[in-house]
Amino acid sequence: MLQISGKDNVLFKKVKKLKQKKYREIEQLFLAEGVKFLDFSTTPNYIFIDEEFDLSLIEQELEKFQCEKYILSSGLFSQLSSQENSQGVILVYSYEKYSLDNLENNILDKVSDPGNLGTIIRTVDAAGFKDIILTTGSVDCYNEKVIRSTMGSIFNARLRYMNEDEMVMFLKDKDYRLISTALDKNSVPYTEIKLKKKNAIIFGNEGNGISKSILAVSDEKVIIPIYGSAESLNVGVACGIILYKIREII
């Protein structure tokens, strides 16, 4: 176990920059914080541990990973941590790259809240799906809040970013049925959703819903009825309801 005690350490400075999106994209690395991440089989590039953490609690978990492991002074660790009461363990992982072949699609149109995206990723995983396309302008899926909200499901999801026109062109060319969730007079109840062999289920931005250009080319629009006084459902909740209905149909 190696020790880092100075803020000028090259690796420490590199990892600290990963708290910013532009450096995550340059390095193709992201941070995941918490002891829970030691339970997953995905091997990190680095593991950083607060000097005050009791290593005897995670000895077995650490042994299974063949990566560089470092002890940080509490002062340095706090500079990497994004949590008020950190568990004292931070892991650094590489980005995953996925092709567009054999999609099982869910489309997220400019989802902006990290907690919502994390919840959606976790829900997609729980419902037995894997693929998520985010339109350009959506929150970064490697944001620390997103990673924490996924509870590890980030490792089971295949995420890609595409601009709106490129995405629509690709899906239409590959003969996907575009199903949009929308508060629209022409929407049918989600219980009557019609599926083809290949389907793209589209969920919209928290405030503005799905863009008009995507709605215009959708093959079907579906709605989840509101029985009370709420204006709409949270996008993460809507995603869960509809994906589980699709799983039931499948």
Side-chain angles (χ1 to χ4, degrees), residues 24 27-30 41-45 92-99 132 140-142 147 152-161:
R24 289 196 293 270
E27 299 291 347
Q28 296 288 287
L29 297 170
F30 68 95
S41 59
T42 303
T43 300
N45 296 56
V92 179
Y93 294 95
S94 293
Y95 279 25
E96 292 287 350
K97 297 292 184 184
Y98 301 104
S99 74
I132 301 173
D140 178 19
C141 65
Y142 294 112
I147 299 299
S153 288
I154 188 70
F155 302 124
N156 302 323
R158 297 190 290 246
L159 294 111
R160 310 160 185 79
Y161 285 83

Side-chain angles (χ1 to χ4, degrees), residues 88-134:
V89 177
I90 292 174
L91 302 89
V92 179
Y93 294 95
S94 293
Y95 279 25
E96 292 287 350
K97 297 292 184 184
Y98 301 104
S99 74
L100 288 168
D101 298 328
N102 302 315
L103 287 175
E104 301 169 357
N105 264 2
N106 302 288
I107 310 299
L108 304 175
D109 183 23
K110 296 182 179 65
V111 170
S112 57
D113 182 78
N116 279 344
L117 179 55
T119 297
I120 289 167
I121 292 170
R122 191 175 171 188
T123 302
V124 167
D125 183 19
F129 299 100
K130 286 187 176 295
D131 293 285
I132 301 173
I133 292 178
L134 296 122

Side-chain angles (χ1 to χ4, degrees), residues 56-118:
S56 66
L57 298 175
I58 56 171
E59 280 181 358
Q60 289 185 324
E61 287 85 353
L62 290 175
E63 285 177 3
K64 70 182 181 182
F65 295 120
Q66 300 301 310
C67 67
E68 296 179 20
K69 307 174 184 78
Y70 295 89
I71 299 291
L72 293 181
S73 67
S74 293
L76 293 182
F77 188 89
S78 66
Q79 293 181 46
L80 298 185
S81 175
S82 62
Q83 299 181 20
E84 233 176 87
N85 298 301
S86 176
Q87 294 179 329
V89 177
I90 292 174
L91 302 89
V92 179
Y93 294 95
S94 293
Y95 279 25
E96 292 287 350
K97 297 292 184 184
Y98 301 104
S99 74
L100 288 168
D101 298 328
N102 302 315
L103 287 175
E104 301 169 357
N105 264 2
N106 302 288
I107 310 299
L108 304 175
D109 183 23
K110 296 182 179 65
V111 170
S112 57
D113 182 78
N116 279 344
L117 179 55

Side-chain angles (χ1 to χ4, degrees), residues 1 19 63-64 71 82 95 103 112 134 154 172 184 193 195 201 203 206 218 241:
M1 191 79 68
K19 297 178 76 64
E63 285 177 3
K64 70 182 181 182
I71 299 291
S82 62
Y95 279 25
L103 287 175
S112 57
L134 296 122
I154 188 70
K172 287 293 187 180
D184 186 276
I193 195 168
L195 302 177
I201 316 302
F203 301 92
E206 294 91 344
S218 296
I241 291 171

Side-chain angles (χ1 to χ4, degrees), residues 138-235:
S138 296
V139 64
D140 178 19
C141 65
Y142 294 112
N143 176 299
E144 290 167 88
K145 290 182 180 178
V146 174
I147 299 299
R148 187 162 64 248
S149 297
T150 70
M151 295 292 287
S153 288
I154 188 70
F155 302 124
N156 302 323
R158 297 190 290 246
L159 294 111
R160 310 160 185 79
Y161 285 83
M162 298 177 75
N163 70 52
E164 196 174 290
D165 292 340
E166 176 190 14
M167 180 197 74
V168 169
M169 189 179 302
F170 171 82
L171 294 173
K172 287 293 187 180
D173 182 60
K174 298 297 182 181
D175 198 30
Y176 278 85
R177 179 173 175 78
L178 271 60
I179 302 171
S180 291
T181 54
L183 297 170
D184 186 276
K185 64 180 181 180
N186 297 316
S187 294
V188 300
Y190 78 99
T191 51
E192 298 174 17
I193 195 168
K194 295 179 178 64
L195 302 177
K196 284 178 53 178
K197 183 177 180 180
K198 297 194 292 186
N199 307 278
I201 316 302
I202 305 171
F203 301 92
N205 173 271
E206 294 91 344
N208 303 313
I210 295 169
S211 73
K212 291 180 180 178
S213 57
I214 291 179
L215 285 175
V217 296
S218 296
D219 298 298
E220 184 172 50
K221 288 176 275 191
V222 299
I223 190 170
I224 300 171
I226 302 291
Y227 299 109
S229 302
E231 184 179 297
S232 63
L233 283 171
N234 171 278
V235 65

